[in-house]
Amino acid sequence: MIVDCAGKDLDLSHPQVMGILNVTPDSFSDGGLFLAQDSALAQAKQMVADGAGIIDVGGESTRPGAAIVSIEEEISRVVPVIEAIHSEIDIPISIDTSKPDVMRAAVQAGAGLINDVRALTVEGAVAAAVACDVPVCLMHAQGSPQTMQDDPRYDDVVANVIEFLTERVAVCEQAGIARDKLILDPGFGFGKRATHNLQLMKHLSKVIDQGLPVLVGVSRKSMIGKLLNVSVEERLAASLSLAALSVWQGAKIIRSHDVRETVQAIMMCDHVMNVS
């Protein structure tokens, strides 16, 4: 399956790694490291060299308790970086945002995929996505980043996530976004306790059974820290384990801070899955 990201192909016939490029001062893992355009571009080039299939640029942290960033500030952070990457790197760029105005500005600058943790639920987001005419990743989240970890509850987390994503797919299709432009993300860590995340991972194949490509983002997340009592810097091995488990069940995109190691992990998994 080839996904056309504004003229740059994302080949999902085998798993791909989405390299995380946060141009924010407050992201939980790499906040402040890539605020300058030259350092952001250098990091993007390194991730491509390490095997990334797509670069995900974000200008507002969505970690639990993160501060809200204005539209103008978010655009000023992401657009120069996207323009620089687009002019020098020949792989797709995604914009990690929920704001319609940021979506439009980012796509105009060269982004070819919208990665929305709010699944186009912000007013005007569906219309913006239709106008941008690029693929969209719809993610499940319970609550906002400011409140999502206060007291998350589910009747059945797997069923609830699938129900939400199915509803959002229907909304998108009704608005004119083709089904082959949609990607699903169950939203690990977004309004979910550790046990919810484990249940989602164990039954990820049920999300994949919905018939759309699935993106998984578990890199260095707090669920690992809580379960294993390790710092952000010590979460690589567990992140790779979860990446392999995801690919084994059929996930097509793994969002990661550690591109080189994740590419190797999922390539080995893919080799085992496809051997005769």
Side-chain angles (χ1 to χ4, degrees):
M1 176 184 181
I2 304 294
V3 179
D4 179 4
C5 298
K8 296 184 178 182
D9 289 345
L10 180 62
D11 182 1
L12 297 185
S13 61
H14 57 88
Q16 296 281 1
V17 170
M18 172 185 276
I20 300 170
L21 186 59
N22 291 317
V23 287
T24 60
D26 56 347
S27 291
F28 80 95
S29 179
D30 54 2
L33 292 180
F34 309 115
L35 284 173
Q37 183 176 320
D38 56 349
S39 61
L41 179 59
Q43 175 67 1
K45 288 181 176 179
Q46 184 61 56
M47 288 193 287
V48 173
D50 289 341
I54 182 169
I55 305 294
D56 191 41
V57 178
E60 179 180 48
S61 175
T62 52
R63 63 176 174 79
I68 297 173
V69 175
S70 71
I71 294 170
E72 295 76 13
E73 175 65 20
E74 191 173 341
I75 289 175
S76 72
R77 289 177 181 179
V78 301
V79 164
V81 170
I82 291 171
E83 288 176 339
I85 296 172
H86 180 63
S87 67
E88 296 198 31
I89 294 175
D90 193 30
I91 69 168
I93 305 163
S94 67
I95 175 64
D96 180 1
T97 190
S98 298
K99 299 184 179 75
D101 290 342
V102 179
M103 294 174 188
R104 292 188 182 93
V107 170
Q108 186 174 6
L113 185 146
I114 296 167
N115 182 20
D116 186 2
V117 301
R118 293 179 177 84
L120 303 183
T121 57
V122 172
E123 184 177 356
V126 171
V130 171
C132 288
D133 192 28
V134 296
V136 180
C137 182
L138 305 168
M139 195 196 81
H140 174 274
Q142 187 179 100
S144 69
Q146 292 72 41
T147 63
M148 63 187 181
Q149 292 306 113
D150 289 352
D151 188 25
R153 296 174 181 270
Y154 296 88
D155 298 324
D156 178 328
V157 65
V158 178
N160 293 164
V161 165
I162 290 172
E163 179 182 16
F164 171 84
L165 292 174
T166 300
E167 290 173 353
R168 296 313 300 164
V169 167
V171 168
C172 289
E173 289 187 295
Q174 288 165 11
I177 301 174
R179 188 176 179 86
D180 62 8
K181 286 183 176 290
L182 297 175
I183 297 167
L184 305 181
D185 180 349
F188 288 95
F190 282 77
K192 298 171 183 74
R193 302 177 190 270
T195 185
H196 296 142
N197 291 311
L198 291 175
Q199 289 165 349
L200 266 178
M201 181 58 68
K202 183 175 182 178
H203 301 288
L204 184 63
S205 60
K206 293 183 179 180
V207 181
I208 290 158
D209 286 345
Q210 303 311 302
L212 292 173
V214 169
L215 180 152
V216 168
V218 288
S219 179
R220 303 185 189 175
K221 285 196 171 176
S222 60
M223 62 178 284
I224 297 171
K226 290 175 182 176
L227 290 166
L228 303 183
N229 192 29
V230 291
S231 67
V232 170
E233 296 76 18
E234 299 173 301
R235 297 175 187 173
L236 175 58
S239 298
L240 298 179
S241 172
L242 294 172
L245 285 169
S246 301
V247 168
W248 188 260
Q249 295 184 74
K252 290 299 185 183
I253 306 171
I254 303 296
R255 188 174 182 271
S256 177
H257 300 87
D258 306 288
V259 171
R260 180 173 177 270
E261 295 87 348
T262 306
V263 167
Q264 292 181 358
I266 69 171
M267 282 180 65
M268 284 307 303
C269 188
D270 195 45
H271 281 311
V272 175
M273 292 171 67
N274 288 295
V275 71
S276 57

